[in-house]
Amino acid sequence: MAQMNGGRQDPSGGDEGLSSSSSGTTATNASPVQQESKREDESESEYMKRRLVERLAVSNNPEYSDVINSARTTQRDETLLDGTKWKISLDIGREMGTWMPKDWGISGDRLKLDFEIEFTDEQLYEREEFLGSMGDAKIVAVKGGRMTLSPSVREGVREISVKNGGWRVSRGNGPMGTSLLRFYIETDEKISRKGGDVYCPAGRIYCSCGFFSANTPSRGEKERYKKKLDDLIARAETLDYEIAAAGFLGKLKKNAEMIRLKVEMQESAQRFREASILDPDSSILKFSSKGDVGLTKEGGVCCKVNKGVALEYHILGRFYIQSCKE
C-alpha cells in the first residue's frame, strides 16, 4: 500500500530552526511572531504542530510546509471513502457453502446486476446488525435509484428500482485483523429471469470486501518472507544434487538437513501468506479516485433470512467493484 508522508521532527521533541525565549516569542531569521505558551489541555505533539503553523506565517522554508501539509491531509480511515463513487457489478448465483435452497441456482445460471453508488458522509440513523454499529454508519446513495439487469437468451435488459442503504468500515473484523467495508442496498421486488432457477430475494442485499487504508504503512514483512522462501527453495534444489552425489554417510547428513529445510519452508510459506493478507498486492485492489484507500476488487454478497428467533446470512454470490474514475 502507498504510505502517507510523515512530518520531520527533531528527536529531542523540538522542531528544527525554532527557538523560544522566556517572553514566548519565536524568531529565526524572520520577523518575530507572538508565541503562545503550551496550554494545559494541549499534548506535546499538538503544541509543536501549532508552533509550526505560527512559524509558517513568517517562513517559506519547505521543511515546515511539508510537515503542516502532511498533518492536514491525514484522515481517519472511516472518512476516506466519504463522497467517493463506485461502480458495482453483482454476480448472483450458486456458490460453495451457500445455505440457499438445494435447487437454487443448480443450473449454473447467474444474474448480473450493475449500478453506481456513492459512499456519502451522511449519518445513517438506523440500526442494522450487518453493519455492526450505528457509530460511523453512513448512507449509501444509489445513482438514479436503479440498477440494470443484464440481458439473457430469453430476455433483454431490465431496470430494477433500488433504495439507498448504508455503509460502514468494520475495523479489525477481517482476516488476520484487517478491516472490512460493509454496505447494503434494498429492493422491493424479487429479481429473477423467466424459467430460471436463480433469484435475488426482495429486501436488503448485503455486500462486504476488504478495506485497506494508505494511512497504514507497509512493514515490509511480505517482501522479507518472500525473499527467505526463495532462498530456501534455491537451497533445497542445490541440496537435491548434493544428496544424489553424496556417499552413504553424506546422504544421511544431507537428508536430515533437507527435512529441517522443508519444515522451515512450510513455516516461511505460512508467514508469507499471513503477511500477504495484511499487505495485499495492489493487483487485487481497486483504489479510490484519490488513491488513498484500496478495496478488494471482489467481495461477497448475501441476504438475511429469519429462522425463528435466529438470523442467518445466506450467500447469494459475489460482487466486483471499481472507482467511477476508471
Side-chain angles (χ1 to χ4, degrees), residues 7 35 37 81 98 107 128 166 185 202 206 216 245 258 282 289 292-293 317:
Q35 172 67 45
S37 60
L81 285 176
T98 185
S107 67
E128 169 50 64
I185 57 172
Y206 300 97
T216 304
M258 180 65 82
S282 60
S289 56
D292 53 3
V293 62

Side-chain angles (χ1 to χ4, degrees), residues 66-120:
D66 289 345
V67 173
I68 299 304
N69 289 337
S70 175
R72 287 175 177 170
T73 55
T74 300
Q75 292 179 266
R76 293 174 61 235
D77 289 351
E78 291 82 354
T79 67
L80 292 174
L81 285 176
D82 287 358
T84 60
K85 298 177 181 179
W86 302 79
K87 299 175 184 177
I88 309 293
S89 294
L90 301 183
D91 185 7
I92 306 299
R94 195 161 195 89
E95 300 281 347
M96 186 179 295
T98 185
W99 288 355
M100 292 296 283
K102 291 182 179 180
D103 59 350
W104 181 84
I106 199 69
S107 67
D109 285 348
R110 304 188 77 87
L111 301 175
K112 312 285 188 179
L113 296 150
D114 300 314
F115 56 98
E116 293 184 13
I117 59 173
E118 178 183 349
F119 294 116
T120 77

Side-chain angles (χ1 to χ4, degrees), residues 223-233 264 268:
E223 290 75 15
R224 286 196 295 273
Y225 284 118
K226 177 65 166 61
K227 184 180 184 307
K228 182 177 181 180
L229 191 57
D230 288 343
D231 291 344
L232 291 171
I233 292 172
E264 193 172 358
S268 296

Side-chain angles (χ1 to χ4, degrees), residues 149-169:
L149 176 60
S150 297
S152 69
V153 175
R154 303 182 188 92
E155 295 181 77
V157 174
R158 278 171 49 199
E159 296 291 324
I160 310 293
S161 295
V162 188
K163 295 178 181 177
N164 291 344
W167 72 278
R168 181 173 178 266
V169 174

Side-chain angles (χ1 to χ4, degrees), residues 30-213:
S31 302
V33 175
Q34 186 62 35
Q35 172 67 45
E36 184 181 343
S37 60
K38 183 175 179 296
R39 297 190 291 264
E40 292 184 0
D41 62 343
E42 199 171 34
S43 69
E44 187 66 28
S45 62
E46 289 172 335
Y47 171 56
M48 296 310 301
K49 285 180 181 178
R50 180 165 58 81
R51 287 185 66 192
L52 285 172
V53 171
E54 292 164 347
R55 178 66 182 88
L56 188 60
V58 295
S59 175
N60 291 320
N61 190 329
E63 288 187 5
Y64 302 121
S65 301
D66 289 345
V67 173
I68 299 304
N69 289 337
S70 175
R72 287 175 177 170
T73 55
T74 300
Q75 292 179 266
R76 293 174 61 235
D77 289 351
E78 291 82 354
T79 67
L80 292 174
L81 285 176
D82 287 358
T84 60
K85 298 177 181 179
W86 302 79
K87 299 175 184 177
I88 309 293
S89 294
L90 301 183
D91 185 7
I92 306 299
R94 195 161 195 89
E95 300 281 347
M96 186 179 295
T98 185
W99 288 355
M100 292 296 283
K102 291 182 179 180
D103 59 350
W104 181 84
I106 199 69
S107 67
D109 285 348
R110 304 188 77 87
L111 301 175
K112 312 285 188 179
L113 296 150
D114 300 314
F115 56 98
E116 293 184 13
I117 59 173
E118 178 183 349
F119 294 116
T120 77
D121 60 359
E122 300 176 50
Q123 178 71 40
L124 178 69
Y125 294 104
E126 179 182 355
R127 174 80 180 182
E128 169 50 64
E129 181 194 45
F130 178 76
L131 299 181
S133 170
M134 283 182 63
D136 292 320
K138 301 169 188 176
I139 294 173
V140 163
V142 182
K143 183 179 179 179
R146 59 185 60 250
M147 58 183 169
T148 303
L149 176 60
S150 297
S152 69
V153 175
R154 303 182 188 92
E155 295 181 77
V157 174
R158 278 171 49 199
E159 296 291 324
I160 310 293
S161 295
V162 188
K163 295 178 181 177
N164 291 344
W167 72 278
R168 181 173 178 266
V169 174
S170 183
R171 296 176 64 86
N173 288 321
M176 300 292 298
T178 55
S179 296
L180 294 174
L181 167 65
R182 290 176 172 167
F183 66 94
Y184 69 87
I185 57 172
E186 188 171 355
T187 65
D188 288 330
E189 63 176 291
K190 175 182 175 180
I191 305 170
S192 62
R193 289 288 190 192
K194 291 180 181 178
D197 62 357
V198 64
Y199 60 86
C200 183
R204 291 182 173 176
I205 302 171
Y206 300 97
C207 303
S208 62
C209 64
F211 174 98
F212 296 90
S213 165

Side-chain angles (χ1 to χ4, degrees), residues 190-323:
K190 175 182 175 180
I191 305 170
S192 62
R193 289 288 190 192
K194 291 180 181 178
D197 62 357
V198 64
Y199 60 86
C200 183
R204 291 182 173 176
I205 302 171
Y206 300 97
C207 303
S208 62
C209 64
F211 174 98
F212 296 90
S213 165
N215 289 337
T216 304
S218 171
R219 294 182 294 180
E221 290 187 357
K222 184 173 67 172
E223 290 75 15
R224 286 196 295 273
Y225 284 118
K226 177 65 166 61
K227 184 180 184 307
K228 182 177 181 180
L229 191 57
D230 288 343
D231 291 344
L232 291 171
I233 292 172
R235 173 56 187 153
E237 291 173 348
T238 302
L239 194 57
D240 277 334
Y241 290 108
E242 294 177 2
I243 291 172
F248 177 74
L249 293 178
K251 275 183 167 58
L252 291 178
K253 182 177 180 181
K254 290 184 181 297
N255 279 324
E257 181 185 350
M258 180 65 82
I259 292 172
R260 292 193 298 271
L261 198 61
K262 288 182 176 179
V263 170
E264 193 172 358
M265 286 169 62
Q266 290 176 346
E267 292 175 348
S268 296
Q270 178 61 27
R271 297 296 186 191
F272 174 70
R273 286 192 291 270
E274 293 173 354
S276 296
I277 292 173
L278 296 171
D279 185 14
D281 191 86
S282 60
S283 65
I284 70 167
L285 301 176
K286 290 294 185 179
F287 290 89
S288 62
S289 56
K290 293 181 179 179
D292 53 3
V293 62
L295 305 177
T296 50
K297 61 184 180 183
E298 182 177 329
V301 183
C302 61
C303 64
K304 187 187 295 182
V305 177
N306 290 304
K307 293 281 188 177
V309 295
L311 288 176
E312 294 178 352
Y313 291 93
H314 292 190
I315 299 172
L316 289 175
R318 65 194 77 158
F319 76 91
Y320 304 94
I321 189 168
Q322 66 179 36
S323 170

